[in-house]
Amino acid sequence: MTSTADPATDARAGDSELGRARRRKEDEHLITGRTRWTDNIVLPGMVHAAILRSPVAHARITGLDVSEARTMPGVVAVYTGADLAEEQGSLPCAWPITEDMKTPNAPALAVDTVRFAGEAVAVVVARSPYEAHDALDAIDVDYEDLPVVLDLEAAARDGELVHPDLGTNVSATWVFDSAEAGSGGNVEDAIRDAEVVVERTFRQQRLIPAFMEPRSVVVDPTASQITMWSATQVPHVLKLMLAMTLGLPEHKLRVIAPDVGGGFGGKLQVTPEEVLTLLIARRLHKPVKYTETRSESMLAAHHGRDQVQKLTLAARRDGTVTGLKVELLADMGAYLRLVTPGVPILGAFMFNGIYKFGSYHFSCTNVFTNKVPTDAYRGAGRPEATFAIERIMDELAVELSMDPLEIREKNWIRHEEFPFDTVAGLTYDSGNYEAATAKARELFDYDALRREQAERRERHDPVQLGIGVSTFTEMCGLAPSRVLGSLSYGAGGWEHAAVRMLPTGKVEVVTGSSAHGQGHETAWSQIVADRLGIPFDDIEILHGDTQSSPRGLDTYGSRSLAVGGIAVVKAAEKVVAKARPIAAHLLECSEDDLDFEAGQFRVKGTAKSVGLTDVALAVFAAHDLPEGIEPNLDSEATYDPDNFSFPHGTHLCAIEIDTETGHARIRKYVCVDDVGHVVNPLIVEGQVHGGLAQGIAQALYEEAVHDESGTLLSSSFAEYLLPTAVDLPPFVTDRTDTPAPGNPLGVKGVGEAGTIASTPAVVNAVLDAVRQFGVTDVEMPCTPMRIWHALRDAQNARGGTK
């Protein structure tokens, strides 16, 4: 994996911490095994929970006998849905996207009906996890099978129902129309008047987040305050939702996210397991731990994607696009989890991508099926949208016999047009798609690969070369509270930070962003070191604990740096502002005569100075402070941006397809991303590499597969294919730098960029290699079998000749 960015030029100014490729602070304890995962936590008197899960996708529970399980060795208690029915409430959904959205009751523990395979049916609590799991086998459950609803399109037609009491499988339909919104014209007029109309239907397969650390939760109810440790991305949200769902006093609940081994959106949730562990701990007055197995994680933790996308694109014969119509079916699974209904809606603002459409219509119908619920998965709606628009732009290029880069350049927003109001109602703040594409094209050696492709085609090489393009932007820094409010989201998007100056000159930074692999401790230390002139190693970052960090909205949607990091900047600026009158007093000068740089207050035009650390000690002593100044430099800030940030980039993929076996091998992958100013290039590279791996995995490897009865067939890593380093190509990465004008660091987001851009680049490359044989689509994942079948089917359709 190579980067062409020069580390020597990454620091933007002299010895500035910003732009420096520092190794991550948090890695030392992570890679030496001194981590504190939730499952490592051991408390006095702690007992262990194990969950019995339904083997069927839809059934009434007609009998549930737990008497034998209660007599098993080590068993402390056994609970059924009936035992907890009065207190478990309904798992929360925080995003009612329409006023008439249908939201079924979602129990943590099924009471009389199960609606997906893997739903919790009973809980055993024992003195050891092994005894708890052994006792599950002694529980006898009788099920009366009910019709299973699996096919998304059939479910939308309201045949058999997942929730008969709702009278429909449709939860909600959400619509955006540019003509009604005043952001564009009427799309039906554009389609009617178009010289070219391209209509395609794409399938977004169901994916499993497959984070490194399975979900785990420990609850200690023995003190005056209930403490929960959880492998979660959202400790603050979890605390609030648990208090509201279970009727608990919020101030009597503390949630801690210790070291968390990945999330990818899969731990952005209020889970049944967290609710059950808390309820049982309160009943037993003992600490209780639950840790899922890997198969449980794949079976019962929420899944991602799972959409059917129908697109109609209108254009002129010269390639200019004029209108885009999107009709989406989105699989909710059996219930609505925390942000389930809103995930596909986030994509509504990105289907237009980087292009200047004159009209746009988007409709999304959310549908219930008898599968595990879906929710956020890395990118959350934006990868789905980017895939669709980049796929259909390639289809337009084929229709018009144009190069795919040419069709994009014909329609993209040019750098001089920013800020740009899009047809979807957003204002893109900055970008330079021309620069990113030019650099990517050069690194990729695009023209040479096109020549090689033509040569292979001419000589009928059995291994054909395909070239895929993906040019993207995304809305990230999920934050503006007013925007989220306009979408009926149940919370704001602000973030909070505090900077505490200690008497010895060391600094504690408290952040509401809760890291699970992003490198916050390193990046936040660099930001504060840069703003305060305090040595990097003298800064400690506190996060993930609702007691030490009481305010925050956590980590998702590439919001940590663009929102949480800016809150840190503003808190640090307040520290300097509070220190200024004290420094002036100590130096016997006016505040206006002071400059602050590199941690020193200096009197202009003189050598007189005092360090911020000296001011901190003087404040602690409080012997000689100006009248009316309190002895305190500690500062807090809450930041709520006015707009999203819009990173972008160009990704190019060259893939070799063996037409005799269907085997696909990525030969070259180049991406040039623009994430604004960079705080730490090593962290950016890590995020890009990880994102590329996940996006490529969707294109070629991963899929959650169910049989006709609703059983998950891909319930372990033996069946659910995650790529390893052996399966991935070397990545050539680089950056352009178009700063975000809306924040003082000029930063955008990077956590989801690789995932968003890479999937269409790979699939476009696959199709580019085999389209000459009559293949028009290969459904993801593009496995060798699917590619081989597509080639054979196309060959048969053409009379048996290749």
Side-chain angles (χ1 to χ4, degrees), residues 114-139:
V114 293
R115 291 186 169 85
F116 65 90
E119 187 167 2
V121 173
V123 184
V124 172
V125 185
R127 300 195 182 281
S128 75
Y130 313 105
E131 291 168 321
H133 280 279
D134 286 345
L136 294 179
D137 293 334
I139 299 175

Side-chain angles (χ1 to χ4, degrees), residues 37-41 43 46-53 108-109 118-120 122-126 128-129 132-133 136 211 213-220 228-231 271-278 280-281 286-301:
W37 310 118
T38 303
D39 192 46
N40 291 346
I41 295 169
L43 302 175
M46 186 172 72
V47 293
H48 299 264
I51 295 176
L52 182 70
R53 299 186 180 277
L109 195 60
E119 187 167 2
V123 184
V124 172
V125 185
S128 75
H133 280 279
L136 294 179
F211 27 71
E213 176 207 19
R215 298 175 304 161
S216 182
V217 58
V218 174
V219 176
D220 183 2
M228 172 184 285
W229 292 262
S230 182
T271 69
E273 295 79 8
E274 288 160 334
V275 169
L276 292 174
T277 306
L278 192 156
I280 291 167
K286 292 177 179 289
V288 178
K289 177 191 287 185
Y290 167 79
T291 300
E292 67 185 1
T293 65
R294 177 58 66 183
S295 289
E296 279 185 294
S297 178
M298 303 185 83
L299 183 68

Side-chain angles (χ1 to χ4, degrees), residues 566-625:
I566 306 306
V568 171
V569 168
K570 293 188 173 297
E573 290 173 346
K574 288 184 178 181
V575 169
V576 175
K578 291 178 75 170
R580 184 175 292 276
I582 301 169
H585 178 75
L586 295 174
L587 293 169
E588 298 180 329
C589 69
S590 165
E591 291 182 46
D592 296 335
D593 291 334
L594 287 181
D595 288 329
F596 180 76
E597 186 177 358
Q600 296 285 318
F601 288 98
R602 298 184 184 277
V603 180
K604 296 174 184 178
T606 76
K608 293 176 63 178
S609 69
V610 64
L612 180 61
T613 56
D614 298 319
V615 175
L617 184 59
V619 166
F620 170 76
H623 294 161
D624 183 21
L625 298 181

Side-chain angles (χ1 to χ4, degrees), residues 45-82:
M46 186 172 72
V47 293
H48 299 264
I51 295 176
L52 182 70
R53 299 186 180 277
S54 170
V56 297
H58 198 194
R60 285 191 191 88
I61 301 172
T62 57
L64 181 52
D65 186 353
V66 300
S67 57
E68 184 180 349
R70 288 193 170 113
T71 67
M72 295 286 286
V75 171
V76 174
V78 182
Y79 297 96
T80 68

Side-chain angles (χ1 to χ4, degrees), residues 29-30 34-38 213 230-231 257-261 515-516 521:
H29 81 275
L30 290 172
R34 291 183 286 116
T35 52
R36 199 179 194 209
W37 310 118
T38 303
E213 176 207 19
S230 182
D259 290 321
V260 177
H516 50 281
E521 292 177 32

Side-chain angles (χ1 to χ4, degrees), residues 50-351:
I51 295 176
L52 182 70
R53 299 186 180 277
S54 170
V56 297
H58 198 194
R60 285 191 191 88
I61 301 172
T62 57
L64 181 52
D65 186 353
V66 300
S67 57
E68 184 180 349
R70 288 193 170 113
T71 67
M72 295 286 286
V75 171
V76 174
V78 182
Y79 297 96
T80 68
D83 297 324
L84 302 178
E86 296 301 316
E87 54 186 308
Q88 67 175 331
S90 179
L91 290 164
C93 174
W95 203 335
I97 61 170
T98 64
E99 292 182 359
D100 61 349
M101 184 179 83
K102 292 179 170 54
T103 306
N105 185 65
L109 195 60
V111 178
D112 51 21
T113 305
V114 293
R115 291 186 169 85
F116 65 90
E119 187 167 2
V121 173
V123 184
V124 172
V125 185
R127 300 195 182 281
S128 75
Y130 313 105
E131 291 168 321
H133 280 279
D134 286 345
L136 294 179
D137 293 334
I139 299 175
D140 187 20
V141 188
D142 293 325
Y143 295 101
E144 178 188 323
D145 287 341
L146 295 170
V148 177
V149 180
L150 298 175
D151 183 82
L152 181 54
E153 292 174 283
R157 292 193 291 268
D158 282 341
E160 303 293 348
L161 299 178
V162 177
H163 299 279
D165 56 310
L166 299 181
T168 179
N169 288 323
V170 174
S171 173
T173 297
W174 190 92
V175 176
F176 176 90
D177 188 275
S178 62
E180 295 179 4
S183 57
N186 184 288
V187 78
E188 297 298 340
D189 292 343
I191 294 170
R192 185 194 63 231
D193 297 337
E195 296 172 347
V196 179
V197 175
V198 179
E199 194 172 273
R200 296 289 186 272
T201 298
F202 304 123
R203 173 74 183 172
Q204 284 278 326
Q205 79 268 39
R206 179 174 279 246
L207 299 177
I208 300 174
F211 27 71
M212 183 183 299
E213 176 207 19
R215 298 175 304 161
S216 182
V217 58
V218 174
V219 176
D220 183 2
T222 58
S224 60
Q225 183 184 54
I226 298 171
T227 300
M228 172 184 285
W229 292 262
S230 182
T232 182
Q233 295 176 222
V234 287
H236 297 90
V237 173
L238 178 59
K239 175 187 175 183
L240 175 63
M241 291 292 100
L242 287 172
M244 295 175 67
T245 299
L246 301 177
L248 299 174
E250 186 183 353
H251 64 292
K252 293 293 186 179
L253 180 60
R254 176 186 184 187
V255 175
I256 302 171
D259 290 321
V260 177
F264 312 122
K267 293 174 183 173
L268 199 177
Q269 198 54 262
V270 178
T271 69
E273 295 79 8
E274 288 160 334
V275 169
L276 292 174
T277 306
L278 192 156
L279 290 177
I280 291 167
R282 290 178 70 206
R283 283 200 171 203
L284 295 177
H285 302 289
K286 292 177 179 289
V288 178
K289 177 191 287 185
Y290 167 79
T291 300
E292 67 185 1
T293 65
R294 177 58 66 183
S295 289
E296 279 185 294
S297 178
M298 303 185 83
L299 183 68
H302 77 244
H303 293 173
R305 311 288 194 253
D306 208 348
Q307 297 179 1
V308 174
Q309 306 168 311
K310 180 181 178 183
L311 273 70
T312 305
L313 185 149
R316 294 200 290 265
R317 181 60 60 183
D318 67 357
T320 303
V321 297
T322 57
L324 180 66
K325 182 178 181 179
V326 178
E327 299 165 274
L328 212 64
L329 283 179
D331 193 339
M332 303 289 96
Y335 301 101
L336 302 180
R337 294 296 193 236
L338 190 63
V339 294
T340 301
V343 167
I345 305 309
L346 287 174
F349 304 99
M350 288 285 100
F351 271 89

